[in-house]
Amino acid sequence: MKLVITEKPSVARTVAAVLGASYNRKGYYEGSGWIIAWCFGHLAGLADAAAYDPAYLKWRREDLPIFPDPFRFTVFPGTKEQYDLLCSLMNCPDVEGIVNACDAGREGELIFRTVYDLVGCRKPVERLWISSMELSAIREGFENLRPGEEYENLHRAALCRAEADWLVGINASRFFSLLYGVKLNVGRVMTPTLALMAEREAEIAAFTSETFYTVCLDCGICAVSERIADRESAERLAEECHKAVVRSVEKKKKTANPPLLYDLTTLQRDANKNYGYTAQQTLDALQSLYEKRLCTYPRTDSRFLTDDMEEKIPEILETAQRVLGCPLDARNASNAKTLCDSRKVSDHHAVIPTESAGYVDPSTLTREEYDILRLAASAVVLALGDPFLYEETTVLLDCAGQPFTAKGKTVIEPGWMEERLARRNDFDDVLPALEEGQILPVKYTEVKESKSAPPKRYTEDSLLGAMENAGSKEMPKDAERRGLGTPATRAAILEKLIHDGFLTRKKAQKTAFLVPTEIGKNLIAVLPEELQSPVLTAEWEHRLGEIERGERSPEDFLDGIRAMLRDLIGTYTPVPGAETLFPSGGDRLGTCPRCGGAVRESVKGYFCENRECTFGFWKENRLFDGIGKRMDSATAAALLNTGRAELKGCCSRKTGNRFDCTLLLCDDGKKTDFRLEFHNNKAKEKES
């Protein structure tokens, strides 16, 4: 009997149907010589620091850096029952071998191998590696099971990624949280992603809009001048324009090839652009379609199919046309070679609809599933289209001694763009035949005022693109993995940044932008370059790819991260005045008298949470030290709300006399001071 372990119950149910394991037991299926059980995603993970030493429960700088050797795994409390079942099944004497049927990728390998190693199982393992959940694909996969040891390097890379994230997350998060008195989550990929957005926000804040003018001519064609700094000069030029002389006519024939098929990131970007879906919504919908046997494997970084799929292109095209409800037409299947290139396929080929998708009832799908399925189908139809051919004409004119430019486009062959061209009007400017030296009378002039625009905030679409290409110029040309994270992890990174309060979604009209919060910007302001550099993180992803291919050892990679953390903890000094950047996240004590922001408590004082505002006061200062007091939250709240706080039982450090007084807040907008207003304390002073 063989034991098959899948990543999710829904996958186990489908596999059981294929293998004839028809008996539904508690936590597994059984029959025909097979047992099919499942994980619930990760059943276990790397243990927290306290598992190595209970002293680590308390965060202390002197304990850093923490470098476990070896790392330990622990079973998550909510999954222990299923883990115990898998342990029992793996150790069952009737089970002679195990099939790893978790998702065919880095994380799927880690999910299986973590349980396998924790159980201490040594039975032989075979690997099911499929890109589709269609019954025929599963049957074919079981007919071609691979030895589990062939995927050892994939497991090494997955484990190395998890351990690297643990090292950076545990050590850097504790280090910076202790330094700045507020919990700050620092991540190997999360932090450079946040840095991209913080940099963009800084560019927007520093941008100064400039007004400029252009003169537009109507001389049989529409021509535009260069930018002019002031309106008077532009109006003077417009008045002087009576005839234009053609200086040059340049024509270029251009070709726009069809877009490639979708990988996960490109699909997430288009779904955000077209429907406003977040990266996580798209991944969830695509994963559901995969489990319903309607789409191929979602977490792919390839936009091509393998060479052996070329003969199936007519069927794939027919399926896509059925999904879209358009007439079946196999003519473009002759372009199949443009879609197939095994050299550009790593673990999985591009996302395409499966044969079953052509017959699915749309009413059985959610809105997100329906939209994503149609996008994947549209990509197939477009990718098999003919190239779009057009001619672009550029005419340079001289009028009143100044250069003007006119541009036009003429469609030669619409190809894959035919349907889109019907909805656009930017290819309607067909310029008449013109010759050099030809004189064109000016019929009309107009001065247009424009303003330079700041850089645009990131949408989920543009940020995914930035993450994908981050550091790519500095990476080797043959680097298999570039950018921040992988297609499989980017959605989770964005959601974690939002969950941790470093990032928020803001909607303007119909577009949702991703904007770093104040604490997110402040975190990037104090972190050293090595933790926020997309180049370094892209290099790490490249090295993980080398581990997968057996070209680099995991220890070599992890040693580099340990060295970086030792240097960071040993040499980093806090940014001066950074206490004002990080509110504690506790209750709002009052309103800032300067900007109206919230004032909150931090380890060393009470500060406005608005990064641009410098208002705040310290828990310990000379005045309080001189009267034997310390600023507490109640005193701070009273000062913020009424400008005064009653202090009882004060003791003069100089005289030893005891007294009561009123503390008054004095703030001139630049500097915060306090003044003491003394009560009649003679009786008390005499008594003391």
Side-chain angles (χ1 to χ4, degrees), residues 425-600:
N425 58 11
D426 54 346
F427 278 84
D428 295 339
D429 292 333
V430 180
L431 299 182
L434 298 169
E435 296 180 356
E436 286 187 26
Q438 187 173 347
I439 297 175
L440 305 175
V442 176
K443 303 174 185 176
Y444 174 76
T445 62
E446 181 183 4
V447 174
K448 288 189 176 180
E449 179 182 311
S450 304
K451 288 188 176 182
S452 56
K456 291 184 178 180
R457 282 195 165 113
Y458 282 114
T459 61
E460 211 133 334
D461 163 29
S462 58
L463 181 59
L464 286 169
M467 291 175 72
E468 188 174 35
N469 295 309
S472 59
K473 292 181 180 178
E474 292 81 3
M475 294 295 292
K477 290 184 179 178
D478 60 346
E480 183 179 332
R481 284 208 173 103
R482 308 170 188 231
L484 298 175
T486 66
T489 61
R490 287 174 189 138
I493 290 165
L494 299 186
E495 294 304 320
K496 181 165 176 56
L497 282 168
I498 292 170
H499 176 269
D500 290 349
F502 297 128
L503 177 65
T504 186
R505 288 187 177 97
K506 288 188 177 179
K507 204 158 189 178
Q509 296 178 339
K510 294 183 178 180
T511 304
F513 295 98
L514 295 169
V515 183
T517 60
E518 285 299 317
I519 196 169
K521 290 185 284 187
N522 295 346
L523 174 60
I524 296 304
V526 302
L527 288 181
E529 176 64 21
E530 59 261 41
L531 286 179
Q532 55 177 292
S533 167
V535 176
L536 180 62
T537 309
E539 184 180 332
W540 286 349
E541 287 296 336
H542 174 61
R543 289 178 183 175
L544 288 171
E546 290 178 326
I547 293 170
E548 281 188 24
R549 299 189 295 273
E551 300 167 2
R552 181 183 293 270
S553 74
E555 275 308 305
D556 177 54
F557 174 72
L558 291 173
D559 282 346
I561 290 182
R562 292 188 189 102
M564 180 200 72
L565 290 168
R566 283 193 196 96
D567 181 66
L568 171 71
I569 292 168
T571 63
Y572 178 86
T573 55
V575 174
E579 290 84 356
T580 62
L581 300 180
F582 298 110
S584 67
D587 292 338
R588 177 189 180 117
L589 293 177
T591 300
C592 172
R594 296 185 191 172
C595 74
V599 176
R600 303 180 192 274

Side-chain angles (χ1 to χ4, degrees), residues 1-5 19 29 31-36 94-99 124 126 142 145:
M1 185 174 281
K2 283 189 177 182
L3 169 64
V4 179
I5 298 179
L19 299 179
Y29 297 92
S32 303
W34 297 93
I35 298 174
I36 296 90
D94 294 338
V95 172
E96 59 185 26
I98 301 173
V99 177
E126 295 175 288
F142 272 93
L145 293 173

Side-chain angles (χ1 to χ4, degrees), residues 96-340:
E96 59 185 26
I98 301 173
V99 177
N100 174 9
C102 290
D103 282 2
R106 190 194 279 176
E107 286 308 297
E109 196 67 22
L110 183 61
I111 286 170
F112 170 80
R113 288 293 297 271
T114 298
V115 173
Y116 181 83
D117 291 341
L118 266 179
V119 168
C121 187
R122 294 295 177 264
K123 293 178 181 179
V125 175
E126 295 175 288
R127 188 56 159 111
L128 175 71
W129 195 271
I130 55 177
S131 292
S132 168
M133 284 300 297
E134 283 206 291
L135 305 186
S136 57
I138 296 173
R139 289 192 193 96
E140 186 178 345
F142 272 93
E143 290 168 3
N144 296 279
L145 293 173
R146 306 297 303 164
E149 55 265 26
E150 288 187 8
Y151 298 88
E152 180 60 34
N153 285 333
L154 181 64
H155 172 244
R156 287 194 181 108
L159 184 58
C160 191
R161 191 275 310 156
E163 291 175 351
D165 287 345
W166 192 100
L167 289 172
V168 174
I170 292 291
N171 286 289
S173 295
R174 289 187 177 213
F175 179 65
F176 288 101
S177 296
L178 289 166
L179 275 184
Y180 293 112
V182 61
K183 187 176 180 181
L184 298 171
N185 290 331
V186 180
R188 183 181 62 89
V189 179
M190 184 175 74
T191 301
T193 302
L194 180 61
L196 283 176
M197 287 178 283
E199 182 181 2
R200 176 61 56 85
E201 284 300 302
E203 291 172 355
I204 293 170
F207 179 81
T208 302
S209 181
E210 295 181 356
T211 302
F212 63 91
Y213 303 87
T214 53
V215 177
C216 300
L217 304 180
D218 180 357
C219 52
I221 60 175
C222 181
V224 182
S225 72
E226 295 178 343
R227 290 186 177 186
I228 302 170
D230 61 282
R231 178 179 287 277
E232 286 185 8
S233 298
E235 290 177 344
R236 192 181 310 118
L237 174 59
E239 290 173 0
E240 295 173 355
C241 288
H242 304 296
K243 59 182 180 180
V245 180
V246 178
R247 293 303 182 197
S248 68
V249 179
E250 183 182 24
K251 294 187 177 184
K252 288 184 179 179
K253 289 186 178 179
K254 295 191 174 184
T255 301
N257 289 319
L260 299 173
L261 297 171
Y262 282 129
D263 61 6
L264 174 57
T265 300
T266 316
L267 180 53
Q268 287 169 319
R269 294 186 63 183
D270 275 3
N272 179 255
K273 193 172 2 181
N274 293 335
Y275 303 114
Y277 295 155
T278 67
Q280 190 63 53
Q281 285 176 314
T282 299
L283 177 56
D284 290 345
L286 195 55
Q287 179 70 27
S288 178
L289 289 169
Y290 171 66
E291 293 173 16
K292 290 178 177 179
R293 308 193 297 278
L294 301 176
C295 261
T296 56
Y297 186 73
R299 293 171 174 83
T300 177
D301 59 0
S302 176
R303 302 186 67 182
F304 290 87
L305 305 178
T306 53
D307 293 335
D308 61 353
M309 297 178 72
E310 186 176 336
E311 62 184 26
K312 298 180 181 178
I313 295 299
E315 300 169 25
I316 295 170
L317 175 60
E318 182 178 319
T319 293
Q321 291 169 335
R322 288 186 187 277
V323 169
L324 298 172
C326 55
L328 303 184
D329 185 351
R331 285 177 299 172
N332 284 357
S334 59
N335 296 331
K337 285 187 180 296
T338 61
L339 272 64
C340 301

